[in-house]
């Protein structure tokens, strides 16, 4: 009697026998090299972020600490987590409790934080997407997914127009997290539910002169 396992494996072998001997080269003639003046790039990026229901604050680099503190205080975030490489100057105006994250902290306990503050690697204005790559100022994936609030600092100089331009700035070997607005999904009746797969609130602090 032929088992289901034998049938499946037989079909796999047949498919492999029919497959081309050499791999197929995938054309990658993506449209690249697009640029926009800073003001237009900022406007496009902001429009996309707001459309995704993210909150946006713009600031200059010398006011980063003031704006971050204002955001956290306004959202009543009294206990926050930060990646180990985050610039400590960004939190000098914040008077709440700051917990530095590490791999030794169990991910489920991050749910006890009111929020998290991270930097970012690169962003795409056209899609309103922020890329985190696990660098020391961005931390592990769990840190930006478990807490209900994510305050992400983005330098305008790291915002590219399109996806190909943004991806080209990433290091392929690094773990990449893509963020397009706060976490949300829809049930069978298309009712929007937020905070299911990540933070319910995303605040993007864009530093326009960096």
């Amino acid at each position: 009697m032929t088992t289901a396992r034998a049938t499946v494996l037989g079909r796999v072998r047949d498919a492999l026998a029919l497959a081309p001997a050499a791999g197929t080269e995938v054309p990658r003639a993506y449209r690249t090299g697009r640029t926009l003046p800073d003001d237009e790039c900022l406007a496009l990026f902001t429009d996309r972020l707001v459309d995704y229901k993210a909150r946006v604050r713009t600031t200059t680099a010398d006011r980063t600490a003031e704006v971050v503190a204002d955001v956290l205080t306004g959202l009543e975030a009294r206990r926050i987590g930060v990646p180990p490489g985050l610039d400590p100057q960004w939190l000098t105006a914040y008077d709440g409790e700051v917990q530095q994250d590490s791999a030794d902290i169990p991910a489920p306990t991050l749910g006890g934080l009111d929020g998290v503050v991270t930097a970012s690697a690169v962003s795409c204005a056209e899609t309103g997407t922020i890329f985190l790559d696990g660098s020391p100022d961005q931390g592990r994936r769990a840190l930006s997914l478990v807490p209900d609030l994510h305050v992400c600092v983005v330098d305008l100089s790291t915002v590219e127009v399109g996806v190909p331009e943004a991806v080209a700035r990433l290091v392929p070997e690094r773990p990449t997290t893509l963020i397009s607005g706060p976490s949300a999904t829809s049930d069978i009746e298309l009712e929007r539910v937020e905070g299911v797969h990540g933070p319910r609130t995303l605040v993007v602090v864009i530093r326009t002169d960096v």
Side-chain angles (χ1 to χ4, degrees):
M1 180 181 296
T2 302
T3 65
R5 179 175 182 276
T7 300
V8 170
L9 291 177
R11 290 177 179 174
V12 170
R13 284 191 291 270
D14 291 343
L16 291 174
L18 295 173
T24 302
E25 183 176 346
V26 178
R28 304 194 183 276
Y30 306 124
R31 181 175 58 175
T32 60
R34 289 176 295 164
T35 61
L36 284 173
D38 283 352
D39 58 342
E40 294 182 27
C41 187
L42 174 62
L44 178 61
F45 186 43
T46 301
D47 177 76
R48 297 297 191 269
L49 289 170
V50 171
D51 190 52
Y52 278 132
K53 301 187 183 302
R55 306 181 190 187
V56 180
R57 295 284 299 270
T58 57
T59 183
T60 52
D62 61 348
R63 295 188 63 244
T64 303
E66 177 185 343
V67 173
V68 168
D70 185 57
V71 168
L72 294 172
T73 302
L75 293 173
E76 300 182 348
R78 301 305 306 162
R79 183 167 180 260
I80 64 165
V82 298
L86 191 76
D87 187 343
Q89 295 298 315
W90 293 1
L91 298 173
T92 53
Y94 175 65
D95 61 0
E97 179 184 348
V98 178
Q99 174 181 301
Q100 183 171 294
D101 188 41
S102 76
D104 297 329
I105 298 177
T109 65
L110 297 174
L113 298 172
D114 295 323
V116 57
V117 178
T118 75
S120 56
V122 66
S123 298
C124 174
E126 198 168 59
T127 63
T129 303
I130 300 168
F131 297 74
L132 307 184
D133 68 0
S135 293
D137 60 356
Q138 297 155 53
R140 56 178 173 158
R141 190 186 304 267
L143 182 63
S144 60
L145 290 179
V146 178
D148 204 42
L149 163 67
H150 183 188
V151 178
C152 188
V153 178
V154 174
D155 293 339
L156 185 58
S157 62
T158 68
V159 180
E160 296 286 349
V161 176
V163 172
E165 292 87 356
V167 170
R169 294 182 61 163
L170 296 171
V171 178
E173 293 77 19
R174 300 198 64 84
T176 304
T177 300
L178 278 65
I179 302 171
S180 294
S183 170
T185 188
S186 298
D187 62 18
I188 195 171
E189 296 180 350
L190 299 182
E191 292 291 334
R192 181 182 173 93
V193 181
E194 298 179 345
V196 177
H197 309 296
R200 191 187 315 270
T201 304
L202 172 66
V203 182
V204 183
V205 178
I206 306 174
R207 305 200 302 173
T208 57
D209 59 341
V210 181

